[in-house]
Coordinates of all heavy atoms in Angstrom, one line a residue:
I1 N 4.8 1.2 7.4 CA 4.4 -0.1 7.2 C 3.8 -0.7 8.5 O 4.1 -0.3 9.6 CB 5.7 -1.0 6.8 CG1 5.3 -2.4 6.3 CG2 6.7 -1.0 7.9 CD1 6.4 -3.2 5.7
A2 N 2.9 -1.7 8.3 CA 2.3 -2.4 9.4 C 1.8 -3.7 9.0 O 1.5 -3.9 7.8 CB 1.1 -1.6 10.0
V3 N 1.8 -4.7 9.9 CA 1.3 -6.1 9.6 C 0.1 -6.3 10.4 O 0.1 -6.1 11.6 CB 2.4 -7.1 9.9 CG1 1.9 -8.5 9.6 CG2 3.7 -6.8 9.1
D4 N -1.0 -6.8 9.8 CA -2.3 -7.0 10.5 C -2.3 -8.3 11.2 O -1.4 -9.1 11.1 CB -3.5 -6.7 9.6 CG -3.6 -7.8 8.5 OD1 -3.2 -8.9 8.6 OD2 -4.3 -7.5 7.4
G5 N -3.4 -8.6 11.9 CA -3.6 -9.8 12.6 C -3.6 -11.1 11.8 O -3.3 -12.2 12.3
G6 N -3.9 -11.0 10.5 CA -3.9 -12.1 9.6 C -2.6 -12.3 8.8 O -2.5 -13.1 8.0
G7 N -1.6 -11.5 9.2 CA -0.2 -11.6 8.5 C -0.1 -10.8 7.2 O 0.9 -10.9 6.6
M8 N -1.1 -10.0 6.9 CA -1.0 -9.2 5.7 C -0.2 -8.0 5.9 O -0.3 -7.3 7.0 CB -2.4 -8.7 5.2 CG -3.4 -9.8 5.0 SD -2.9 -10.9 3.5 CE -4.4 -11.9 3.4
T9 N 0.7 -7.6 5.0 CA 1.6 -6.5 5.1 C 0.9 -5.3 4.4 O 0.5 -5.3 3.2 CB 2.9 -6.7 4.4 OG1 3.5 -7.8 5.1 CG2 3.8 -5.5 4.5
H10 N 0.8 -4.1 5.1 CA 0.2 -2.9 4.6 C 1.3 -1.8 4.5 O 2.1 -1.7 5.4 CB -0.9 -2.4 5.5 CG -2.0 -3.4 5.7 ND1 -3.2 -3.2 5.1 CD2 -2.1 -4.5 6.4 CE1 -4.0 -4.2 5.5 NE2 -3.3 -5.0 6.3
V11 N 1.3 -1.1 3.4 CA 2.3 0.0 3.2 C 1.5 1.2 2.7 O 0.6 1.1 1.9 CB 3.3 -0.3 2.1 CG1 4.3 0.8 1.9 CG2 4.1 -1.6 2.5
V12 N 1.8 2.4 3.3 CA 1.2 3.7 2.8 C 2.3 4.7 2.6 O 3.4 4.6 3.2 CB 0.2 4.2 3.9 CG1 -1.0 3.4 4.0 CG2 0.9 4.5 5.2
H13 N 2.0 5.6 1.7 CA 3.0 6.7 1.4 C 2.3 7.8 0.6 O 1.2 7.6 0.1 CB 4.2 6.2 0.7 CG 4.0 5.9 -0.8 ND1 4.2 6.8 -1.8 CD2 3.5 4.8 -1.4 CE1 3.9 6.2 -2.9 NE2 3.5 5.0 -2.7
W14 N 2.9 8.9 0.6 CA 2.4 10.1 -0.1 C 3.0 10.1 -1.5 O 4.2 10.1 -1.7 CB 2.9 11.4 0.7 CG 2.5 12.7 0.0 CD1 1.3 13.0 -0.5 CD2 3.3 13.8 -0.1 NE1 1.3 14.3 -0.9 CE2 2.5 14.8 -0.7 CE3 4.6 14.1 0.3 CZ2 3.0 16.1 -1.0 CZ3 5.1 15.4 0.1 CH2 4.3 16.4 -0.6
D15 N 2.1 10.2 -2.5 CA 2.5 10.4 -3.9 C 2.6 11.9 -4.1 O 1.6 12.6 -4.3 CB 1.4 9.8 -4.8 CG 1.7 9.9 -6.3 OD1 2.7 10.7 -6.6 OD2 1.1 9.3 -7.1
K16 N 3.8 12.4 -4.0 CA 4.0 13.8 -4.0 C 3.6 14.5 -5.4 O 3.0 15.5 -5.4 CB 5.5 14.2 -3.8 CG 5.8 15.7 -3.8 CD 7.3 15.9 -3.4 CE 7.6 17.4 -3.4 NZ 9.0 17.6 -3.1
D17 N 3.8 13.8 -6.5 CA 3.5 14.3 -7.8 C 2.0 14.6 -8.0 O 1.6 15.6 -8.5 CB 4.0 13.4 -8.9 CG 5.5 13.4 -9.0 OD1 6.1 14.3 -8.5 OD2 6.0 12.4 -9.6
D18 N 1.2 13.6 -7.5 CA -0.3 13.7 -7.6 C -1.0 14.2 -6.3 O -2.2 14.3 -6.3 CB -0.9 12.4 -8.1 CG -0.4 12.0 -9.5 OD1 -0.3 12.9 -10.3 OD2 -0.3 10.8 -9.8
D19 N -0.2 14.4 -5.3 CA -0.7 14.9 -4.0 C -1.8 14.0 -3.5 O -3.0 14.4 -3.4 CB -1.1 16.3 -4.0 CG -1.5 16.8 -2.6 OD1 -0.8 16.3 -1.6 OD2 -2.4 17.7 -2.5
R20 N -1.5 12.7 -3.3 CA -2.5 11.7 -2.8 C -1.9 10.7 -1.9 O -0.6 10.5 -2.0 CB -3.2 11.0 -4.0 CG -2.2 10.3 -4.9 CD -2.9 9.6 -6.1 NE -1.9 8.9 -6.9 CZ -2.2 7.9 -7.8 NH1 -3.5 7.5 -7.8 NH2 -1.3 7.4 -8.5
L21 N -2.7 10.1 -1.1 CA -2.2 9.0 -0.2 C -2.4 7.7 -0.8 O -3.6 7.4 -1.2 CB -3.0 9.1 1.1 CG -2.7 8.0 2.2 CD1 -1.3 8.2 2.7 CD2 -3.7 8.1 3.3
L22 N -1.4 6.9 -1.0 CA -1.5 5.6 -1.6 C -1.3 4.5 -0.6 O -0.5 4.6 0.4 CB -0.4 5.4 -2.7 CG -0.5 6.4 -3.9 CD1 0.6 6.1 -4.9 CD2 -1.9 6.3 -4.5
W23 N -2.0 3.4 -0.8 CA -2.0 2.2 0.1 C -1.8 1.0 -0.7 O -2.3 0.9 -1.8 CB -3.3 2.1 0.9 CG -3.5 0.8 1.6 CD1 -3.1 0.4 2.8 CD2 -4.4 -0.3 1.1 NE1 -3.6 -0.9 3.1 CE2 -4.4 -1.3 2.0 CE3 -5.1 -0.4 -0.1 CZ2 -5.1 -2.5 1.9 CZ3 -5.8 -1.6 -0.3 CH2 -5.8 -2.6 0.7
A24 N -1.0 0.0 -0.2 CA -0.8 -1.3 -0.8 C -0.9 -2.3 0.3 O -0.4 -2.1 1.4 CB 0.5 -1.3 -1.6
M25 N -1.4 -3.5 -0.1 CA -1.4 -4.7 0.8 C -0.9 -5.9 0.1 O -1.2 -6.2 -1.1 CB -2.8 -4.9 1.3 CG -2.9 -6.1 2.3 SD -4.6 -6.4 2.9 CE -5.4 -7.0 1.4
Y26 N 0.0 -6.6 0.8 CA 0.6 -7.8 0.2 C 0.1 -9.1 1.0 O 0.2 -9.1 2.2 CB 2.1 -7.7 0.4 CG 2.9 -8.8 -0.3 CD1 2.8 -9.0 -1.7 CD2 3.7 -9.7 0.4 CE1 3.6 -10.0 -2.3 CE2 4.5 -10.7 -0.2 CZ 4.4 -10.8 -1.6 OH 5.1 -11.8 -2.2
D27 N -0.4 -10.0 0.2 CA -1.0 -11.2 0.8 C -0.1 -12.4 0.8 O -0.4 -13.5 1.1 CB -2.3 -11.6 0.2 CG -2.2 -11.9 -1.3 OD1 -1.0 -12.0 -1.8 OD2 -3.2 -12.1 -2.0
G28 N 1.2 -12.2 0.4 CA 2.2 -13.2 0.3 C 2.4 -13.6 -1.1 O 3.4 -14.3 -1.4
N29 N 1.5 -13.2 -2.1 CA 1.7 -13.6 -3.5 C 1.7 -12.3 -4.4 O 2.4 -12.2 -5.3 CB 0.5 -14.5 -3.9 CG 0.6 -15.8 -3.3 OD1 1.6 -16.5 -3.3 ND2 -0.5 -16.2 -2.6
E30 N 0.8 -11.4 -4.1 CA 0.7 -10.2 -4.9 C 0.3 -9.0 -4.1 O -0.3 -9.1 -3.0 CB -0.2 -10.4 -6.1 CG -1.7 -10.7 -5.6 CD -2.6 -11.0 -6.8 OE1 -2.1 -10.9 -7.9 OE2 -3.8 -11.2 -6.6
W31 N 0.5 -7.8 -4.7 CA 0.1 -6.5 -4.0 C -1.2 -6.1 -4.6 O -1.5 -6.1 -5.8 CB 1.2 -5.4 -4.3 CG 2.4 -5.6 -3.6 CD1 3.6 -6.2 -4.0 CD2 2.7 -5.2 -2.2 NE1 4.5 -6.1 -3.0 CE2 4.0 -5.5 -1.9 CE3 1.9 -4.5 -1.3 CZ2 4.6 -5.3 -0.7 CZ3 2.5 -4.2 0.0 CH2 3.8 -4.6 0.2
T32 N -2.1 -5.6 -3.6 CA -3.3 -4.9 -4.0 C -3.0 -3.4 -3.7 O -2.6 -3.1 -2.6 CB -4.5 -5.4 -3.1 OG1 -4.7 -6.8 -3.4 CG2 -5.7 -4.6 -3.5
K33 N -3.3 -2.5 -4.7 CA -3.0 -1.1 -4.5 C -4.2 -0.2 -4.7 O -4.9 -0.5 -5.7 CB -1.8 -0.7 -5.5 CG -0.6 -1.6 -5.4 CD 0.4 -1.2 -6.5 CE 1.4 -2.3 -6.8 NZ 2.3 -2.0 -7.9
F34 N -4.3 0.8 -3.9 CA -5.5 1.7 -4.0 C -5.0 3.1 -3.6 O -4.0 3.3 -2.9 CB -6.6 1.3 -3.1 CG -7.4 0.2 -3.6 CD1 -7.3 -1.1 -3.1 CD2 -8.4 0.3 -4.6 CE1 -8.0 -2.2 -3.5 CE2 -9.1 -0.7 -5.1 CZ -9.0 -2.0 -4.5

């Protein structure tokens, strides 16, 4: 996890089942996931 200069929270992790790197960002109201 890391918090950027604008206060957005970022989370990354490994999706073991699909062998891919996932990222999510929280703006205080909802998560954006890619």
Side-chain angles (χ1 to χ4, degrees):
I1 188 170
V3 178
D4 68 25
M8 304 292 189
T9 301
H10 301 253
V11 177
V12 293
H13 73 96
W14 178 44
D15 180 348
K16 182 178 180 180
D17 291 340
D18 293 327
D19 188 32
R20 58 178 178 159
L21 176 67
L22 298 181
W23 164 83
M25 181 178 70
Y26 187 62
D27 63 6
N29 295 304
E30 60 182 359
W31 287 96
T32 300
K33 308 173 195 175
F34 284 101

